Amino acid sequence: MGSRTGARRAAAALGCAGLLCAVLGAVMVVMVPSLIKQQVLKNVRIDPSSLSFDMWKQIPVPFYLSVYFFHVLNPNEVLQGGKPQVQERGPYVYREFRHKSNITFNDNDTVSFLEYRSFQFQPHKSRGLESDYIVIPNILVMSAAMMMEDRPMSLKLMMTLAFTTLGERAFMNRTVGEIMWGYEDPLMNLINKYFPNMFPFKGKFGLFAELNNSNSGLFTVFTGVKDFSRIHLVDKWNGLSKVSFWHSDQCNMINGTAGQMWAPFMSPESSLEFYSPEACRSMKLVYKEAALFEGIPTYRFVAPSTLFANGSVYPPNEGFCPCRESGIQNVSTCRFSAPLFLSHPHFYNADPVLAEAVAGLHPNPEEHALFLDIHPVTGIPMNCSVKLQLSLYMKAVRGIGQTGSIQPVVLPLLWFGESGAMEGKTLQSFYSQLVLLPKVLHYAQYVLLALGCVLLLVPIVYQIRSQEKCYLFWSGSKKGSKDKEATQAYSETLMTSAPKGTVLHEARL
């Protein structure tokens, strides 16, 4: 009797535990997605209390700038009207450090900041040294010549004389360090003296001189604390809601984020839009595919073929014109009127005529396409590689002897890739808090539901088994009683005494 009571109590306890597990699992099914969403929203907004604030303030991911130069092999032939032949040199790799300062939280749910960048050369990652010499077009000479194309002949002859006096030529042989970070040039000094606002450079001229130890302008972005729908979106850049470099309102719009974080909870229909001060425009990347980065689910976004298309191929880009062949963007209006063009490396995704005009170019998507891998739940980049090329449009200008007989050509100067991938402790922390924990909670809710259902079956099964035993016992007891009655009746019959006379009579016989 005692063992039966203990078993009944154990079954009841398991049933209660099962009910508790089932209820808890059901509550988790309803509540966990909402809780995860709340935690993500809390930790991706720009707020000192959020987990991602320190990451936003000073990017812990090691970024690298890899620069490839197009060394001109036949400058004298080009001056005589020949086809340019180039050789890619590099990469020359720099570690890029970024940090935000002057962080000011405003009353309208925005934060303003300056982001400073600095670069350190990495010899062990590079294929060459900063002391390597590269032959490239003289940007100052060719730009000045193009600016003078429609000026009176007398001014052109004066410029030719000035170039000759200063020893300037159409091509120059400079070191990588000089081309990157600046070199003394008598022409630059002359221009700064008589035209002080013509170039943003003072003293030295270099293609990346204005980027090192400097900021990319004052950004004001929405924090997402009060209005999550606008999180990370740029409100103003240098106090402007739109720029004035281009010829249409659409092209002048400042859209998207500052290019470091995006809104969470993305879908394949989402796009990545950001404003690039270096390109003087907003850019939009499109979804390509889902993938995994170190076990973390990501969405890969790439540049559409229309990113640098000209207005005839893609009408919305008409505002970036005057245009040349499709696939290159004229950035002269935001680059001191120099005839500079932005594109993908080796003119990838551009009109084939451009690559065919220069020997030594080999565009292919594996090496020259850009991409960003984003964690779709948080909107945080996991792995990225942004690749762009800078080219110079050059041709002979009548009246300026230094330009010789150069045939019109868009000649690549260099291409560069900015790349970075989350790694180390940052990656482990991100994985455990924003991937592993939600995954554990996701599976735990269904495990609890299943366990609860199993445990709820224990008292039910016990009750059924108990009823079966009672039935068998009752059936057995009833049958035993009938057999006992029959046996007793039979025994009584046998024990009944016969008449004495009959017995004696039988004995005598």
Side-chain angles (χ1 to χ4, degrees):
M1 186 69 178
S3 60
R4 186 179 302 172
T5 302
R8 186 183 301 113
R9 289 177 178 175
L14 289 174
C16 291
L19 180 62
L20 182 63
C21 288
V23 170
L24 184 59
V27 170
M28 288 181 68
V29 168
V30 176
M31 297 298 295
V32 163
S34 177
L35 290 173
I36 291 176
K37 184 175 181 179
Q38 288 178 8
Q39 285 300 309
V40 169
L41 295 181
K42 178 182 177 182
N43 289 312
V44 299
R45 63 188 185 181
I46 305 175
D47 185 81
S49 65
S50 71
L51 289 175
S52 62
F53 182 75
D54 289 337
M55 183 188 302
W56 171 84
K57 183 178 179 180
Q58 185 166 347
I59 299 176
V61 175
F63 267 85
Y64 294 94
L65 174 70
S66 301
V67 185
Y68 299 79
F69 291 91
F70 291 101
H71 174 70
V72 181
L73 298 172
N74 59 339
N76 293 329
E77 293 179 18
V78 175
L79 281 169
Q80 296 170 10
K83 180 179 180 178
Q85 184 176 355
V86 298
Q87 180 186 58
E88 185 179 277
R89 297 275 187 90
Y92 297 90
V93 182
Y94 297 83
R95 173 70 189 273
E96 184 175 347
F97 298 90
R98 299 185 180 189
H99 72 278
K100 294 178 176 66
S101 65
N102 294 55
I103 299 174
T104 305
F105 286 90
N106 307 310
D107 294 332
N108 62 342
D109 197 30
T110 64
V111 59
S112 301
F113 61 89
L114 293 171
E115 182 173 68
Y116 285 87
R117 290 180 293 181
S118 61
F119 300 88
Q120 291 182 1
F121 184 61
Q122 308 288 299
H124 63 287
K125 289 182 174 289
S126 303
R127 190 177 296 172
L129 301 173
E130 283 192 304
S131 57
D132 294 348
Y133 278 87
I134 306 290
V135 175
I136 65 169
N138 190 325
I139 301 171
L140 291 175
V141 168
M142 296 309 300
S143 298
M146 290 295 296
M147 293 176 192
M148 296 295 291
E149 184 177 17
D150 298 324
R151 299 296 180 89
M153 181 60 69
S154 58
L155 289 178
K156 294 179 184 178
L157 293 175
M158 288 176 62
M159 179 166 281
T160 298
L161 180 61
F163 286 163
T164 303
T165 303
L166 297 173
E168 301 285 354
R169 297 181 179 181
F171 290 89
M172 62 181 186
N173 189 16
R174 297 279 184 180
T175 66
V176 169
E178 289 175 330
I179 298 171
M180 288 287 294
W181 312 119
Y183 56 89
E184 293 285 350
D185 192 294
L187 179 59
M188 191 73 201
N189 296 332
L190 183 67
I191 292 173
N192 282 333
K193 182 178 180 179
Y194 293 102
F195 306 96
N197 297 320
M198 187 172 181
F199 293 129
F201 310 100
K202 303 300 178 186
K204 292 184 177 182
F205 172 77
L207 291 177
F208 285 78
E210 60 178 339
L211 299 181
N212 196 22
N213 297 316
S214 63
N215 62 77
S216 53
L218 181 66
F219 274 96
T220 301
V221 304
F222 288 94
T223 65
V225 174
K226 296 178 181 177
D227 183 4
F228 174 73
S229 66
R230 307 189 72 180
I231 187 169
H232 298 305
L233 294 179
V234 176
D235 180 37
K236 294 178 187 292
W237 175 73
N238 281 341
L240 302 172
S241 299
K242 64 178 182 178
V243 296
S244 57
F245 300 121
W246 314 113
H247 308 294
S248 72
D249 289 337
Q250 182 177 354
C251 292
N252 279 322
M253 291 176 65
I254 297 177
N255 297 324
T257 73
Q260 295 168 356
M261 294 176 69
W262 283 266
F265 308 114
M266 293 180 170
S267 70
E269 287 72 37
S270 302
S271 61
L272 289 190
E273 201 163 10
F274 60 95
Y275 178 74
S276 169
E278 289 72 35
C280 309
R281 58 165 289 189
S282 298
M283 295 186 180
K284 180 186 287 188
L285 307 184
V286 296
Y287 172 85
K288 180 184 179 183
E289 61 190 1
L292 285 176
F293 174 76
E294 301 293 342
I296 298 174
T298 60
Y299 283 173
R300 172 158 289 190
F301 292 85
V302 298
S305 59
T306 56
L307 182 62
F308 296 120
N310 61 21
S312 59
V313 173
Y314 186 61
N317 282 354
E318 185 68 38
F320 294 122
C321 293
C323 299
R324 295 192 58 79
E325 295 83 359
S326 189
I328 57 176
Q329 182 190 324
N330 188 339
V331 292
S332 60
T333 54
C334 74
R335 284 291 175 263
F336 46 86
S337 298
L340 295 169
F341 287 81
L342 203 62
S343 69
H344 296 293
H346 288 244
F347 297 122
Y348 166 70
N349 254 352
D351 190 324
V353 172
L354 293 163
E356 292 168 0
V358 181
L361 299 182
H362 309 285
N364 69 80
E366 289 76 20
E367 294 183 26
H368 304 136
L370 64 84
F371 68 85
L372 268 76
D373 291 338
I374 308 292
H375 182 233
V377 176
T378 61
I380 296 176
M382 296 288 103
N383 183 28
C384 65
S385 181
V386 178
K387 303 170 183 177
L388 296 172
Q389 176 177 294
L390 191 65
S391 304
L392 179 71
Y393 176 64
M394 53 192 298
K395 67 175 184 177
V397 177
R398 183 171 172 269
I400 299 181
Q402 281 75 12
T403 61
S405 301
I406 299 174
Q407 294 299 306
V409 64
V410 181
L411 187 62
L413 302 173
L414 58 84
W415 73 269
F416 61 90
E418 282 189 292
S419 59
M422 194 174 287
E423 60 183 33
K425 292 183 179 179
T426 304
L427 179 64
Q428 293 174 2
S429 176
F430 186 94
Y431 180 81
S432 60
Q433 294 182 22
L434 295 174
V435 177
L436 185 60
L437 182 59
K439 188 179 290 186
V440 169
L441 291 174
H442 175 76
Y443 288 115
Q445 60 192 11
Y446 296 109
V447 170
L448 285 172
L449 269 176
L451 181 62
C453 292
V454 171
L455 293 178
L456 279 172
L457 290 174
V458 172
I460 297 174
V461 171
Y462 177 80
Q463 185 66 24
I464 294 173
R465 295 291 300 273
S466 297
Q467 290 178 354
E468 288 180 350
K469 287 181 179 179
C470 289
Y471 175 76
L472 291 174
F473 178 77
W474 180 79
S475 300
S477 299
K478 188 175 181 180
K479 183 178 179 181
S481 299
K482 290 181 178 180
D483 291 343
K484 187 175 181 180
E485 290 176 359
T487 303
Q488 289 178 350
Y490 179 70
S491 299
E492 289 176 358
T493 303
L494 292 176
M495 293 299 294
T496 301
S497 298
K500 291 182 179 182
T502 304
V503 173
L504 290 174
H505 177 75
E506 290 176 354
R508 287 180 184 148
L509 289 175

